[in-house]
Amino acid sequence: MTKRQNRLALILGALVVLGAATALILNAFQSSLVFFFTPTEVSEGKSPENRTFRVGGIVQMESIRRGGNQGMAVNFVITDGAALVPVSYTGILPDLFQEGKGVVAQGRLNEQGHFMAEEVLAKHDENYMPPEAMHAMEQAERAKQGAQP
């Protein structure tokens, strides 16, 4: 083979390896991508049928029902004010999870339109502050007031 043919073979080989690596990366990215839907979008059938996705909204008042599986199973309803999505989850719920508060659940819809959550995340409002930061601010405020005559 001539030098020119060797270079051409090397370039073609590098392009094939680069193309394969790009295809693998895009496939991995696509399979790990999780979309968010509101209860209205879920009830309108806009959510995927055989794929994991997230649904978020407010936990409807008086909708939390615990029981089964040694108290780890919980059923509740997520609403956005216009539509309702019944959710089933088995596991430990976040401390901030409660009725009337925001929540995001990740999972799949079953055949009956019931959302089977694999993960539940409680949302907090924009005024949330970690307890450690709140304590530090309170101490700083007390120290400032003590220094003033």
Side-chain angles (χ1 to χ4, degrees), residues 24-34 51-52:
L24 289 172
I25 289 171
L26 289 176
N27 186 34
F29 179 71
Q30 181 67 22
S31 64
S32 66
L33 198 59
V34 179
R51 189 170 174 157
T52 298

Side-chain angles (χ1 to χ4, degrees):
M1 291 178 88
T2 65
K3 282 186 173 184
R4 184 175 183 183
Q5 291 173 332
N6 283 341
R7 270 191 236 132
L8 185 59
L10 185 62
I11 290 172
L12 288 175
L15 286 175
V16 167
V17 169
L18 182 63
T22 301
L24 289 172
I25 289 171
L26 289 176
N27 186 34
F29 179 71
Q30 181 67 22
S31 64
S32 66
L33 198 59
V34 179
F35 292 103
F36 178 85
F37 294 90
T38 65
T40 299
E41 292 171 329
V42 172
S43 67
E44 292 173 351
K46 294 180 181 176
S47 61
E49 292 182 16
N50 296 318
R51 189 170 174 157
T52 298
F53 66 94
R54 289 183 175 176
V55 62
I58 304 294
V59 178
Q60 186 176 18
M61 298 302 288
E62 301 178 11
S63 71
I64 298 176
R65 304 283 182 260
R66 298 179 188 274
N69 201 0
Q70 300 175 341
M72 298 288 286
V74 63
N75 293 313
F76 58 95
V77 176
I78 297 176
T79 182
D80 60 0
L84 304 173
V85 175
V87 179
S88 292
Y89 175 70
T90 301
I92 299 173
L93 290 167
D95 292 338
L96 295 173
F97 178 84
Q98 59 185 322
E99 294 172 339
K101 297 293 181 180
V103 67
V104 174
Q106 180 173 315
R108 296 173 182 243
L109 280 177
N110 66 12
E111 296 80 31
Q112 294 80 29
H114 198 89
F115 192 79
M116 307 304 289
E118 300 162 359
E119 182 179 15
V120 174
L121 307 168
K123 295 170 62 177
H124 53 76
D125 66 6
E126 62 278 355
N127 298 323
Y128 173 77
M129 185 175 298
E132 299 84 4
M134 181 65 81
H135 181 66
M137 287 182 63
E138 288 172 352
Q139 283 185 331
E141 185 65 30
R142 275 188 243 133
K144 186 172 143 183
Q145 288 175 353
Q148 292 177 353

